Amino acid sequence: MAAPSRILVPVDLSEGSRSVVDYALHLASPFNASVEVVHAWEPPQYVAPDLLVAAPGWNSLSLEQVAMETANKELGNLLQQMGPREVPLKHRVLVGEAASTILELAEKEGYNLIIMGTHGRRGLPRLLLGSVAQKVVSRAPCPVLTLHVAPDKK
């Protein structure tokens, strides 16, 4: 297997996302690989994504526009906190179910490694929430490296 040259790093914007991105950057450095960090926003199934969100003094925006702007800002802040880096780094926010969006992107754009976090949920939470990492690992067109990340502290 060849050394990775294009690494895809899906994140859910939880606290553990920073450690996953940091790991990917450290892994990419000796290979001069590029890293792309992506967040997939999935519209709620019970609310139309074009639902207008408004507050006094705001222009009306669709739920999707608000979610995309918020996710872009959070992702930008996360990457800005990483400080200077030697590795080429891009980021974007996409709309769609996380696992299928990641798989489609990896195949379409020819990434040769995916690095993602897993929360390690078991039992009912896993059954109810599903496992994006498990779906990606089982169907990815390239190797997938999963990192256990601690759950958010509430």
Side-chain angles (χ1 to χ4, degrees), residues 41-49 63 97 128 135:
W41 177 75
E42 184 174 357
Q45 293 180 355
Y46 50 88
V47 177
L63 176 61
E97 188 273 324
L128 295 174
K135 292 173 188 172

Side-chain angles (χ1 to χ4, degrees), residues 1 7 20 24 31 42 46 49 53-54 68 75 114 135 142 149:
M1 177 167 64
I7 301 173
V20 174
F31 299 112
E42 184 174 357
Y46 50 88
V53 177
M68 295 292 285
L75 188 54
I114 299 171
K135 292 173 188 172
C142 62
V149 294

Side-chain angles (χ1 to χ4, degrees), residues 71-85:
N72 265 312
K73 184 183 283 185
E74 286 184 36
L75 188 54
N77 288 341
L78 170 75
L79 299 180
Q80 192 173 27
Q81 293 172 6
M82 304 302 292
R85 53 200 161 269

